[in-house]
Amino acid sequence: MDARIDALVDQLVARGDLADDSWRAVLHAVPRHLFAPPVAWAAPLGGPRHKIDVREDPAGWWQAVYDPGAAILTRFGDDEPRAPVSSLSAPNIVLPFLELLHPIGGQRTLDVGTGTGWTAALLSERVGAHNVVSVEIDEQAARQAAANLEALGVRPTLITGDAVTCLPEQEMFDLVHVTCGVTELPYAWVRQTRPGGALVFPWMPDFSYGYRVRLDVLPDGVATGRLAGAAGFMMLRSQQGHRTTPMGEWVAAVKDAAASTTRLDPRLLWHTPGGGLEAAMSALVPGVRADLVYDPEPTGEATLWLLEATGPGGSWASVDYVPGEDEFAVEQAGDRRLWDEAEAAYFQWIRWGRPDLERFGLTVTPDGQQVWLDDPGNPIAH
């Protein structure tokens, strides 16, 4: 077992997902396999989901559990049986967040999204279990997490409920660790973080995959910090929105689309690397989901879809890319002209000098959330 854990850490270090080797001892103290169910679905990085069963294929189970890029899906939705609602997150996602949080002994820590209990146990090893409060909204997942933690002999405070509303108002934290994606960071978590404290969370605006973010809390209750890298998680239940709603439902709900053309290759909004464009689009074209769909035939043709995150009945746009054409067909419907907004945002990002991801940041106040470029004093207006 020591060899498995050391191999996992060595791979994380080699991939650039872990720099602080002190987490090696934490991972030895909190073995990941103790939080993996005997039967589950593995979702490896870049590979298809597949069932794992420790009784039928023990070698495959162990390989998946200690694969640095594999999430272990443990719970699925009742309405959407293929949609996971809880998991044992992949080590190459978990460790960069914990390293960004940089917990030290004795810090009072809120863990939002207990899941299987693994992150609550890792934090307990780092700061002391009596300093960890972990909240899980899913009752079945919460019961299993409690059993997993009890079996390990680790006893943080566990709460079943909505972490946005169920925390005692007088409770104050040094650190907040969030394991579910948020489009808008609930200010309740900032309000209950003491000045000098920090929050790390996956910011998942509708336009893009998601980013690691660390915000530090100032004496006036403002939290601010930079984007730190790509990351994706299951969404906070209250912010799931319409991310999985089929595109056809938008198109069917809004008639009389306006037709036009563009000379901008729509694929650039999807395939430009580095994350900086996605961050800019998330700020300048807020509340919009993007999808690029290639023709199933190998023609090179593709359609970029832009869908207002309010759901069917909201605005939508489509842009058809055809190889060799000088102009591309655009359709837009609804109150917003989403392609016009997106095209303007793309060229604004170009005028800024194509800033990369790390030049963008977030500030959260009681009045809302603002994206900024280079400095919190330079907010991006939309």
Side-chain angles (χ1 to χ4, degrees):
M1 186 52 55
D2 286 347
R4 287 186 187 275
I5 295 171
D6 282 331
L8 170 64
V9 175
D10 291 343
Q11 290 179 76
L12 291 171
V13 171
R15 294 157 54 116
D17 295 320
L18 184 63
D20 181 358
D21 196 62
S22 68
W23 285 101
R24 186 183 299 267
V26 176
L27 290 167
H28 276 281
V30 185
R32 187 171 188 245
H33 69 275
L34 298 181
F35 297 86
V39 180
W41 285 83
L45 184 65
R49 293 181 187 178
H50 60 276
K51 188 177 180 181
I52 57 173
D53 188 322
V54 72
R55 292 177 292 271
E56 294 183 359
D57 180 14
W61 187 89
W62 282 101
Q63 181 178 354
V65 169
Y66 281 96
D67 180 339
I72 308 300
L73 309 180
T74 57
R75 290 265 294 131
F76 293 84
D78 296 328
D79 296 332
E80 294 184 69
R82 292 181 57 83
V85 296
S86 187
S87 72
L88 174 59
S89 298
N92 71 340
I93 296 293
V94 170
L95 271 299
F97 272 98
L98 291 175
E99 195 166 52
L100 188 63
L101 186 65
H102 191 61
I104 57 177
Q107 288 185 305
R108 188 74 171 161
T109 303
L110 171 63
D111 179 50
V112 176
T114 313
T116 64
W118 191 41
T119 58
L122 293 169
L123 287 165
S124 295
E125 179 67 19
R126 196 73 170 205
V127 305
H130 59 288
N131 289 313
V132 175
V133 176
S134 189
V135 184
E136 173 58 52
I137 196 170
D138 186 297
E139 293 184 2
Q140 183 173 332
R143 288 193 295 271
Q144 186 59 58
N148 293 341
L149 290 161
E150 183 65 29
L152 186 63
V154 177
R155 298 177 178 85
T157 299
L158 302 179
I159 299 175
T160 303
D162 184 342
V164 179
T165 59
C166 74
L167 296 173
E169 291 189 5
Q170 71 275 13
E171 185 81 75
M172 292 296 295
F173 298 97
D174 299 290
L175 301 173
V176 177
H177 174 259
V178 182
T179 67
C180 52
V182 296
T183 301
E184 296 280 337
L185 184 74
Y187 187 74
W189 300 340
V190 178
R191 185 174 59 247
Q192 293 188 244
T193 304
R194 70 177 72 252
L199 308 93
V200 298
F201 59 97
W203 180 47
M204 296 180 64
D206 294 290
F207 192 89
S208 56
Y209 175 62
Y211 314 104
R212 290 194 307 276
V213 181
R214 174 188 167 115
L215 301 184
D216 293 284
V217 179
L218 303 174
D220 60 1
V222 170
T224 191
R226 292 184 182 274
L227 309 188
F233 273 75
M234 298 169 195
M235 292 296 295
L236 181 72
R237 295 286 177 91
S238 60
Q239 295 186 14
Q240 286 178 337
H242 291 273
R243 286 174 176 257
T244 60
T245 302
M247 292 173 290
E249 294 188 21
W250 266 267
V251 178
V254 181
K255 307 299 184 182
D256 302 322
S260 60
T261 61
T262 181
R263 296 178 63 191
L264 176 63
D265 183 341
R267 300 174 303 165
L268 295 177
L269 275 63
W270 191 261
H271 285 306
T272 299
L277 175 60
E278 289 184 349
M281 299 296 290
S282 298
L284 295 171
V285 194
V288 174
R289 166 185 154 197
D291 286 292
L292 184 68
V293 180
Y294 278 96
D295 191 303
E297 301 296 328
T299 63
E301 296 183 8
T303 299
L304 177 73
W305 290 90
L306 301 172
L307 309 169
E308 196 169 21
T310 51
S315 302
W316 61 266
S318 67
V319 187
D320 295 324
Y321 170 79
V322 179
E325 294 293 325
D326 293 329
E327 294 184 331
F328 309 108
V330 177
E331 284 191 308
Q332 302 183 86
D335 296 333
R336 295 172 65 180
R337 289 296 181 253
L338 296 185
W339 173 251
D340 294 347
E341 292 183 34
E343 187 173 44
Y346 177 82
F347 287 115
Q348 179 61 67
W349 178 70
I350 296 293
R351 293 185 187 97
W352 284 334
R354 299 172 62 93
D356 59 20
L357 181 64
E358 287 72 21
R359 289 178 59 189
F360 291 90
L362 284 179
T363 293
V364 178
T365 74
D367 298 324
Q369 181 172 286
Q370 181 69 65
V371 182
W372 45 264
L373 175 63
D374 291 328
D375 184 273
N378 185 32
I380 298 173
H382 58 77

